[in-house]
Amino acid sequence: MPIAREEAEAYEIIPGRADIGLLVLCDHASAYIPSEYADLGLCSEQLSRHIAYDIGAADASRQIAEEFGCPAVLSRFSRLLIDPNRGEDDPTLVMRIADGALVPGNARIGDDEIERRIHRFYRPYDDAIARTIAAMRATGKNPVILAMHSFTPEMKGRKRPWHVTVIWDFDPRLNRRLLDALSREPDLVVGDNEPYQGGYRGDTMDRHVIRAGLAHALVEIRQDLIGTEADARAWGKRLSGVLRPLLANPELSEARVHGSHPA
């Protein structure tokens, strides 16, 4: 049974077959901030940066969903409003300073406003992921989860050499195979848990995937490689080609709980 297209203020579900065995997630797909928030006091230049969203990740996600005919769940709000890839108790859930930029609309935010944003943006997106995974598992086949992100070409003056990286923690099934497959591509510099280490308690993968024992991978692509729609879709097509033979492995459909994050 296909999962139908749904659009709301907080999320978009791209349609795909529920029994296809792959679900794409994009937590930081959009830089959108509703007009009543007055861009959180930031200029357009700041809102076009990584602090607002993962540049190129949405277009790459859409291409992968198209290649496989699988569902995808994308956020439709800026992570500056609230970051859906954080636990609700994470101190970085709403950033007051983001990569050196003061966010005026968040500087004096109180608990009531944080709860409003959780209710309006965070939980609807989170619930959309949960519903989509439940619908896919109801077919009798556990989906593999692919989370798509992007990273800046440099941070604090240091250039990042990797073209693509895989961020992971407990489950090596897809992560290790994907790292090996990407590393065989002669033109790629591939990072293993770069530019940061995987395994954050309460993040999207922890909440929905690791705790359920679903096979998964979180891929980061360097933003200067996917800064246009054409480039991002080309990367989505390339990544799909690398993934396709890996997803044929039947052990990926097994639910295995490999560990848990500390409480």
Side-chain angles (χ1 to χ4, degrees):
M1 178 182 298
I3 294 177
R5 187 182 192 91
E6 294 181 35
E7 291 193 56
E9 185 177 45
Y11 65 89
E12 175 186 358
I13 298 178
I14 294 174
R17 283 177 48 193
D19 62 350
I20 201 71
L22 178 66
L23 171 63
V24 180
L25 303 180
C26 191
D27 289 334
H28 303 140
S30 175
Y32 173 72
I33 298 173
S35 59
E36 62 265 35
Y37 285 96
D39 291 336
L40 298 174
L42 295 170
C43 65
S44 59
E45 182 181 0
Q46 295 284 30
L47 295 176
S48 66
R49 293 177 55 209
H50 179 76
I51 62 172
Y53 74 121
D54 276 3
I55 295 165
D59 288 326
S61 298
R62 293 178 190 282
Q63 185 65 40
I64 293 167
E66 183 178 313
E67 294 290 324
F68 286 98
C70 70
V73 184
L74 290 73
S75 70
R76 301 189 76 213
F77 58 92
S78 173
R79 71 214 243 154
L80 289 171
L81 280 169
I82 194 162
D83 193 332
N85 194 31
R86 298 291 185 271
E88 289 192 22
D89 60 349
D90 192 304
T92 64
L93 183 65
V94 176
M95 295 292 286
R96 292 159 175 81
I97 299 176
D99 191 19
L102 176 68
V103 185
N106 294 343
R108 295 179 177 82
I109 192 170
D111 291 343
D112 288 348
E113 175 58 25
I114 291 175
E115 183 56 39
R116 275 192 288 272
R117 295 186 194 181
I118 288 173
H119 180 76
R120 181 174 174 180
F121 304 105
Y122 182 104
R123 286 188 187 139
Y125 173 70
D126 197 62
D127 290 346
I129 294 173
R131 289 195 309 272
T132 304
I133 291 176
M136 297 183 79
R137 298 189 78 178
T139 68
K141 185 174 184 178
N142 289 315
V144 173
I145 311 300
L146 178 67
M148 293 298 297
H149 293 259
S150 67
F151 64 94
T152 57
E154 64 177 73
M155 176 64 76
K156 297 180 180 178
R158 296 187 63 181
K159 292 189 179 298
R160 291 166 160 174
W162 316 284
H163 299 105
V164 60
T165 74
V166 179
I167 310 295
W168 65 290
D169 191 11
F170 293 116
D171 189 342
R173 284 178 291 170
L174 179 58
N175 289 296
R176 188 73 262 165
R177 291 184 175 96
L178 180 56
L179 278 165
D180 291 345
L182 289 168
S183 296
R184 288 193 292 270
E185 300 280 305
D187 60 331
L188 295 183
V189 178
V190 180
D192 182 350
N193 277 319
E194 300 287 358
Y196 57 89
Q197 175 73 37
Y200 288 91
R201 181 179 65 85
D203 68 8
T204 300
M205 299 300 272
D206 181 40
R207 294 194 308 270
H208 295 285
V209 183
I210 293 173
R211 295 179 190 180
L214 301 177
H216 60 277
L218 188 156
V219 172
E220 297 254 6
I221 304 171
R222 205 174 68 203
Q223 289 172 357
D224 58 320
L225 303 176
I226 54 174
T228 68
E229 180 180 353
D231 286 344
R233 285 190 171 271
W235 258 93
K237 185 181 288 289
R238 181 175 188 174
L239 190 58
S240 297
V242 173
L243 280 167
R244 195 173 300 279
L246 305 182
L247 295 176
N249 191 319
E251 76 168 345
L252 296 183
S253 64
E254 301 171 10
R256 298 180 183 176
V257 179
H258 289 261
S260 60
H261 297 297

